[in-house]
Amino acid sequence: QTLSSKASVAARASGGGDGSGGAKEVRQSSFGTSLEDAVTGEGSFAGRQVPQTLLLLWAELSARNKDGLELEGIFRLSADSSEVSSIKKRLHESKTIDVAKAAAHAASGYCLAALIKSYLRELPDDLWGDARPDLDAAVSKAEYASDGDGSGTGEADEAILAQLSERSAALLAWCCDVCCAVTAREKENSMGVNAVAVVMAPGLVPPPATETDPMAILSYSKGAVAWLERVLASPATAAAAAAAAPAPA
């Protein structure tokens, strides 16, 4: 219920379009491209600019049932590595939306989910920007917080989200919407809020690029999962993410 409420506040049903802007539009692959340079569209959030590659992959995945969001462990279970490499290469070489759509359509559901996660991991820029110090502090606290000990965290999380750039906030809000859609099929795919947070945290809340100590990275990763799970379960913080990405005038 909490996630469903969040979706109604922060998003307009994702997967409703692919942001293609027309079948003949020339399309550039945006794997490994910064948010500012990525080709964007508005397939999921009205007025929100989200990388077109993500919109296309999600439109294909969310349109399916048996080989889509109802797959057991979707986003958690690994896809065939050769298939992921092949589809990624086809997307990279696509010159039009139609060609890119055909590549996505040929992929398995697990492959589509893997490519969405891969896109997030390959972002060259820090999604969090100026909010990074506050985020790191929140993640550290989340790792050691006892169950139910969330006093004062809501306002702090909202303050972090409010610092995001427009495109970063739009991407985070879109990802929250994706998580909502996945957990809505928990009965079929066994992916609850914690499971989704575990698989999405590495791409959305990675350790600082300057951190090299393996134990510190492990500790941060645990805290990132706890923090992201808290955000996903909070309608207020989700609304803050949406508010931080105002629709363009």
Side-chain angles (χ1 to χ4, degrees), residues 45-63:
F45 285 87
R48 310 282 192 252
Q49 290 294 324
V50 178
Q52 196 175 73
T53 298
L54 287 177
L55 297 180
L56 186 148
L57 293 169
W58 176 247
E60 178 64 35
L61 181 63
S62 61

Side-chain angles (χ1 to χ4, degrees), residues 183-207:
T183 58
R185 306 288 184 88
E186 182 180 2
K187 182 178 179 180
E188 293 79 20
N189 60 32
S190 302
M191 292 296 289
V193 182
N194 176 261
V196 169
V198 168
V199 297
M200 296 300 284
L204 288 177
V205 195

Side-chain angles (χ1 to χ4, degrees), residues 27 56-57 60 64 83-84 86-108 111-112 115:
R27 178 183 180 278
L56 186 148
L57 293 169
E60 178 64 35
R64 304 177 181 181
E83 181 191 13
V84 173
S86 174
I87 297 299
K88 190 173 182 179
K89 182 174 185 291
R90 289 179 61 182
L91 288 170
H92 179 74
E93 296 174 348
S94 297
K95 300 300 182 182
T96 67
I97 289 296
D98 282 344
V99 174
K101 283 182 177 180
H105 187 69
S108 68
C111 178
L112 292 169
L115 287 171

Side-chain angles (χ1 to χ4, degrees), residues 5-113:
S5 298
K6 182 206 69 62
S8 65
V9 173
R12 296 294 180 267
S14 58
D18 56 18
S20 64
K24 301 302 182 181
E25 180 183 347
V26 175
R27 178 183 180 278
Q28 301 175 30
S29 172
S30 49
F31 279 94
T33 302
S34 70
L35 283 179
E36 291 303 316
D37 295 333
V39 179
T40 60
E42 300 179 356
S44 293
F45 285 87
R48 310 282 192 252
Q49 290 294 324
V50 178
Q52 196 175 73
T53 298
L54 287 177
L55 297 180
L56 186 148
L57 293 169
W58 176 247
E60 178 64 35
L61 181 63
S62 61
R64 304 177 181 181
N65 288 318
K66 296 302 181 182
D67 190 30
L69 298 184
E70 293 184 0
L71 281 170
E72 176 76 19
I74 186 66
F75 283 97
R76 176 174 57 82
L77 296 182
S78 299
D80 180 83
S81 59
S82 60
E83 181 191 13
V84 173
S85 296
S86 174
I87 297 299
K88 190 173 182 179
K89 182 174 185 291
R90 289 179 61 182
L91 288 170
H92 179 74
E93 296 174 348
S94 297
K95 300 300 182 182
T96 67
I97 289 296
D98 282 344
V99 174
K101 283 182 177 180
H105 187 69
S108 68
Y110 289 122
C111 178
L112 292 169

